[in-house]
Amino acid sequence: MTSVTSLTDQVHQHLATALTATLPEAAADPLLRRSDRADFQANGILALAKKAKANPRDLATQVVANVVTGDVIKDIEVSGPGFLNITITDRAITRNLAERYADDTSRLGVPLAAHPGTTVIDYAQPNVAKEMHVGHLRSAVIGDAVVQLLEFTGESVVRRHHIGDWGTQFGMLIQYLDEHPGELDHGDADVTGEEAMSNLDRLYKAARKLFDSDEEFKTRARRRVVDLQAGEPQTLAAWQKFVDESKIYFFSVFEKLDMEVRDADIVGESGYNDMLDETCRLLEESGVATISNGALCVFFDEIKGPDGNPTPLIVRKSDGGYGYAATDLSAIRDRVFNLKATNLLYVVDVRQSLHFKMVFETAKRAGWLNDDVTAYQLAFGTILGKDGKPFKTREGVSVKLEDLLDEAVQRATAVVRDKAEKVGLTEQEIVENGRDVGIGAVKYADLSTSAVRDYKFDLDQMVSLSGDTSVYLQYAYARIQSILRKAGEARPSAHPELELAPAERALGLHLDQFSEVIAEAAKEYAPHKLTAYLYQLASTLTTFYDQCHVLSPDNAPEVVENRLFLVDLTARTLQRGMGLLGIRTPERL
């Protein structure tokens, strides 16, 4: 792997050296940033002048005199009260991009994090024996993108899918299955995810109908819950059937989402059953939790209910049953002490923020979370319909996730088919591209919005070839591939000796920011910062096309090669960035 020092870091080092030469006793940050007045602007002189009790503009002039120019920095001038405007040499831009282009590891010169840790990320949490609906989309899509970003920066990532596989409803389901054997038995025949969920849905409705109408069955079902919690073998075997059938369905949905979900990463609520009693004992013995009205509770002075009294986190109910808090706290213990996590990340609906705030605080009081181990909820907002209300069907129920994904692929396939004849796509390519465009459109719409914000689900806009959509980015990538195919014998090759046109410089400087954006998006768990960068990259490419013809016969051979190099690196950056978001880039579109 080749780690490439960005132009930002190179300029930063030049300025830091000049600042030290000007004021040897002062350690100062140049406060470098991109600027529309020049390539970079440094604002650190003002703070330094205040400390040194000097005139900022005079100090800036002294610093400029100590800056080495010619190789990286072409020009530097004082602006306003003491800002520094910096212009980079064309040679430095092309040379830096050539180093990124030469990195054949698909990293494009992006360095690994200096001090990677171990992050356990909890995301994509469907419920056993229940259909996944639109509310499950964000946790899966955001979580998967964050996993890719963290792993790309060198973090050790442990994936955890905390599925809902425990609870009183399983007593009803297991008892019904026991009395109606064979309902989930399809022998050696493979079933689709749709068939698996159809079986579960049919079974659930029949069990619920009997539960509501037959008091004796209801009594037997409740006894079965006790058997399940006690680990009675026959009951556990029946419960496992429901879990296995549900996994067939889960995997089919995640496959449609083009997401890798491994069986070993699925550790549901049941996975922590053996820890619940000890978790409660540790909390009670340490004084973190106390008995209140028969329940084991943790109180917080700052968290109060409508009546003004403190609202507790109930770890164990008065009837001896365990709540979600006991499971979540046990999961923290497992992730910290067994998996050796340094970071715990929960991609969970913003509406659960209070619960996790109390859980994390409880874990801190117990000593399970500390300065060395942190927990963070990556809270996400709601998906809204075009009317700005929570996305529902006309009947007022949540939209099934499979139906939503199928419709997205259908819409995208229609868009692809409309352009197919012009591009010369085969039927197989139309189908494959329709899938990649449709799923990419859904993911991008989600990821291009800051996670905590709500967003409107509008398929017409999502599959549009214009605007901030994944299709626009995919089309930009495919257009570059078309140019490369038409290039004939000309090959991409960097020519640092060439002077760059303004549009070439703009594209080159934006490409150089890739490393910084990746680092920032990973550190802040913010995929939307990567989508914003990629959209701007595609927009900058469009301007480049308008102003700089790549294959024009009027161009000298070295100009053609250098422009092919620029667009090919742009394509690689688009492909790498989109890949980190879980979005594919078709070669022809």
Side-chain angles (χ1 to χ4, degrees), residues 11-318:
V11 173
H12 188 282
Q13 184 57 53
H14 275 70
L15 291 180
T17 301
L19 285 168
T20 302
T22 306
L23 287 174
E25 70 282 1
D29 185 344
L31 296 180
L32 196 66
R33 65 179 182 84
R34 301 279 176 169
S35 173
D36 55 3
R37 296 175 180 270
D39 296 334
F40 293 94
Q41 185 177 84
N43 301 334
I45 301 295
L46 299 180
L48 186 59
K50 188 174 182 180
K51 287 182 182 178
K53 297 182 180 178
N55 180 286
R57 190 171 177 87
D58 291 344
L59 182 59
T61 303
Q62 295 175 47
V63 172
V64 167
N66 287 319
V67 172
V68 177
T69 59
D71 182 33
V72 175
I73 297 177
K74 177 181 180 181
D75 185 45
I76 181 169
E77 61 179 21
V78 180
S79 174
F83 303 124
L84 299 179
N85 288 338
I86 303 124
T87 302
I88 308 300
T89 65
D90 290 348
R91 176 179 294 273
I93 294 173
T94 305
R95 187 177 58 212
N96 178 270
L97 297 181
E99 290 180 15
R100 296 184 182 280
Y101 190 75
D103 185 3
D104 59 359
T105 64
S106 298
R107 294 196 60 83
L108 302 176
V110 177
L112 296 171
H115 304 288
T118 297
T119 294
V120 177
I121 176 169
D122 190 323
Y123 69 109
Q125 309 106 344
N127 294 307
V128 165
K130 291 184 180 179
E131 286 185 298
M132 293 176 69
H133 55 77
V134 67
H136 292 106
L137 178 65
R138 301 210 70 186
S139 178
V141 170
I142 296 170
D144 186 57
V146 172
V147 166
Q148 304 304 325
L149 281 166
L150 290 176
E151 289 183 336
F152 190 65
T153 60
E155 184 81 355
S156 177
V157 179
V158 180
R159 311 173 192 202
R160 279 293 175 264
H161 305 296
H162 192 89
I163 65 172
D165 64 351
W166 206 248
T168 55
Q169 77 271 20
F170 285 101
M172 175 186 76
L173 289 167
I174 292 167
Q175 186 61 34
Y176 185 86
L177 185 63
D178 189 47
E179 296 177 9
H180 300 79
E183 290 282 331
L184 285 183
D185 186 12
H186 32 74
D188 296 329
D190 291 332
V191 295
T192 66
E194 187 176 347
E195 288 169 338
M197 180 44 63
S198 177
N199 290 338
L200 289 168
D201 186 58
R202 173 178 46 77
L203 196 70
Y204 182 87
K205 289 177 179 176
R208 168 57 67 180
K209 182 178 180 181
L210 190 59
F211 186 87
D212 291 339
S213 62
D214 188 331
E215 287 298 322
E216 291 184 2
F217 175 77
K218 182 181 292 187
T219 300
R220 294 195 299 274
R222 285 173 173 166
R223 286 201 204 106
R224 213 57 189 264
V225 175
V226 177
D227 291 341
L228 178 62
Q229 292 173 340
E232 193 275 316
Q234 185 180 348
T235 301
L236 277 179
W239 167 80
Q240 189 64 52
K241 282 188 176 181
F242 286 107
V243 174
D244 291 343
E245 197 83 2
S246 295
K247 282 183 179 179
I248 295 172
Y249 166 70
F250 296 158
F251 289 138
S252 72
V253 177
F254 290 129
E255 186 178 3
K256 280 190 177 183
L257 264 174
D258 200 12
M259 274 178 52
E260 180 191 29
V261 173
R262 301 171 300 211
D263 190 59
D265 301 330
I266 298 176
V267 182
E269 296 168 1
S270 64
Y272 306 100
N273 284 345
D274 293 342
M275 301 177 67
L276 301 179
D277 184 62
E278 185 180 21
T279 295
C280 292
R281 180 179 60 78
L282 292 171
L283 291 173
E284 189 171 6
E285 289 179 354
S286 64
V288 173
T290 56
I291 301 294
S292 177
N293 295 324
L296 184 65
C297 304
V298 182
F299 289 91
F300 310 87
D301 292 337
E302 71 279 11
I303 302 175
K304 294 181 170 60
D307 58 1
N309 294 322
T311 298
L313 179 70
I314 301 175
V315 184
R316 187 179 62 223
K317 303 172 186 176
S318 58

